[in-house]
Amino acid sequence: MSLPALLPECAEILPEAEAEGRAEAQLRTEAQKARAFGKFAVAAVLESLARVLPCAPRMRASIEGWPGDLAGAGVIFRINAGLHALARSGRHAGLQHIYSDAEIGDLAAPAALDLVLIDVLARHTPDLLQWMAGPTQTNEVARVAGFTAALLELNAHAPLPAELLELGSSAGLNLNLARYGCHLGGMDSGDMQSEVQIAPRWQGLTPPVAPLVVERAVGVDLSPLDIRDNEDCERLHAYIWAGERERTERLRAAIAIAREHPPQVDTGLASRWLARQLAAPQREGTRRVVLHSMVVQYMPDVERATVDAALSLAGAAATPSRPLARIGMEWSKDRSAVELRVTSWDGGLTSGRTVVAAHCHPYAEWFDWHGLERK
């Protein structure tokens, strides 16, 4: 059934938009990615949105006119979160019904989904534009598994307590990594009694058994979320794809831990904050570690370069008793894979060397662990 047959008032708009623009193309691309990840409900929503977008010229124009790369900025990801938020809030009964059915694996027919989304766009385009304008706030706790494994690798060579500095912390949930349990292939690390247990599918090498002590953990974000604020917590839940019960329960448990042990997240520009943190005295016998996950893609080129320069400068002063490390989980340059990269500085011959320690799922559902070369 054609879209004009579904809603005749769209017929006058469609002829002007017969040629798909980058808005529809990006929606279809993100739908393909979601389908490849097995997220069929999300894929169906994005495919429907691509079909009905001509009925919402204001929304379409906002996506088409986005100043920069749509994928890198996560624009479709933001809109998808806005739709999920509307469904969770109950403000659109039809959308709520479709998402509720998707939770149990019952996907709406394309024609029915199109009708609902046309009505959603007619009533809630201003809401979705607000989500589109705001920063992404995933704060996926499962990524802690990669950070933990990398810290264990570093400690296998030189066991030292860690001072963690996280860029793009969102609500700071990952700063509580020492309070979570991680199951990493054939070994466990962390608090096995914690309500948050992280167990990604693990391939490749098993991380070494090593002590892991976190002395201090602080972070920074341009727009940090307040874990005590229910609306901010709901924002985090909206960024979880519909139907992902395990992620939802893990987030709920991590929020509960954070309310008992509030993480410290400062507001500010990552490069300036990091420069101040790196300039502060580092206690002898501690490892200073800069962490970030799926953040670099949102940084302007100048900001990215400034962060790199600050780390290189601090790394030049690193010693075996005051080492520095960087652990980043980010898309590769061609966005074909997510890499967990580790750079460490200690003043030795390999100081400043970067190793791709793993390839992984964007939300840390699985890891292919390569490890670090061990001396």
Side-chain angles (χ1 to χ4, degrees):
M1 186 180 293
S2 68
L3 188 58
L6 286 171
L7 200 65
E9 54 264 39
C10 287
E12 295 180 3
I13 300 173
L14 286 173
E16 300 176 7
E18 288 180 354
E20 283 195 345
R22 68 171 185 153
E24 291 89 351
Q26 193 62 42
L27 281 163
R28 296 189 194 283
T29 295
E30 298 301 335
Q32 290 172 0
K33 291 179 184 178
R35 195 170 294 281
F37 289 144
K39 314 304 179 185
F40 302 113
V42 175
V45 168
L46 297 182
E47 288 164 351
S48 175
L49 193 56
R51 291 192 296 270
V52 306
L53 196 60
C55 296
R58 184 181 173 195
M59 172 67 76
R60 186 176 188 273
S62 295
I63 303 173
E64 284 289 317
W66 184 267
D69 179 56
L70 292 172
V75 172
I76 306 305
F77 189 39
R78 303 179 195 195
I79 297 169
N80 182 61
L83 289 169
H84 194 194
L86 277 173
R88 287 176 58 88
S89 71
R91 291 173 59 201
H92 192 285
L95 193 65
Q96 183 183 37
H97 180 71
I98 281 174
Y99 275 70
S100 296
D101 285 350
E103 291 280 347
I104 59 174
D106 186 7
L107 301 182
L113 187 52
D114 288 353
L115 278 174
V116 169
L117 283 180
I118 288 169
D119 191 60
V120 168
L121 291 172
R123 297 171 184 268
H124 295 288
T125 285
D127 297 313
L128 296 175
L129 289 175
Q130 284 187 347
W131 278 86
M132 183 175 157
T136 60
Q137 297 281 9
T138 310
N139 211 174
E140 176 50 61
V141 178
R143 293 172 184 156
V144 160
F147 291 157
T148 298
L151 289 167
L152 293 174
E153 293 272 2
L154 291 167
N155 280 346
H157 171 59
L160 295 171
E163 175 194 15
L164 306 181
L165 309 174
E166 187 184 24
L167 310 181
S169 292
S170 188
L173 299 181
N174 291 353
L175 294 172
N176 274 332
L177 65 82
R179 294 186 169 90
Y180 308 150
C182 287
H183 307 268
L184 312 172
M187 67 87 64
D188 297 334
S189 179
D191 183 357
M192 294 300 107
Q193 303 305 313
S194 173
E195 290 298 316
V196 175
Q197 296 294 317
I198 301 168
R201 299 192 302 276
W202 203 266
Q203 307 170 57
L205 300 175
T206 299
V209 177
L212 177 52
V213 176
V214 176
E215 280 197 345
R216 176 175 180 254
V218 295
V220 67
D221 198 277
L222 277 174
S223 302
L225 297 183
D226 185 350
I227 212 66
R228 299 163 299 181
D229 185 285
N230 289 335
E231 289 188 7
D232 279 1
C233 292
E234 180 59 28
R235 187 173 185 84
L236 289 176
H237 276 288
Y239 268 102
I240 292 178
W241 287 358
E244 295 190 308
R245 294 183 182 179
E246 185 177 345
R247 286 182 71 195
T248 298
E249 290 305 314
R250 186 168 56 230
L251 174 60
R252 188 173 290 116
I255 288 172
I257 290 174
R259 286 181 169 176
E260 186 176 350
H261 303 280
Q264 179 186 333
V265 182
D266 299 328
T267 302
L269 195 63
S271 58
R272 294 175 184 171
W273 179 88
L274 182 60
R276 291 193 299 271
Q277 295 291 326
L278 294 176
Q282 179 179 350
R283 189 176 71 79
E284 185 171 2
T286 61
R287 175 178 287 108
R288 184 169 277 173
V289 184
V290 177
L291 307 172
H292 53 88
S293 57
M294 311 307 281
V295 170
V296 170
Q297 70 190 70
Y298 302 114
M299 291 182 175
D301 291 342
V302 172
E303 172 76 347
R304 202 176 307 171
T306 305
V307 167
D308 293 344
L311 282 161
S312 295
L313 181 63
T319 66
S321 62
R322 291 187 177 90
L324 173 67
R326 177 183 191 173
I327 304 172
M329 188 185 302
E330 305 285 351
W331 284 105
S332 58
K333 288 184 179 180
D334 63 359
R335 293 186 65 83
S336 63
V338 177
E339 301 173 335
L340 190 142
R341 302 169 68 88
V342 180
T343 308
S344 56
W345 295 266
D346 61 5
L349 293 176
T350 61
S351 187
R353 181 188 62 176
T354 298
V355 175
V356 178
H359 288 89
C360 59
H361 183 276
Y363 305 115
E365 291 183 5
W366 57 263
F367 284 83
D368 184 5
W369 196 260
H370 317 312
L372 305 180
E373 292 182 15
R374 301 169 198 163
K375 297 179 182 177

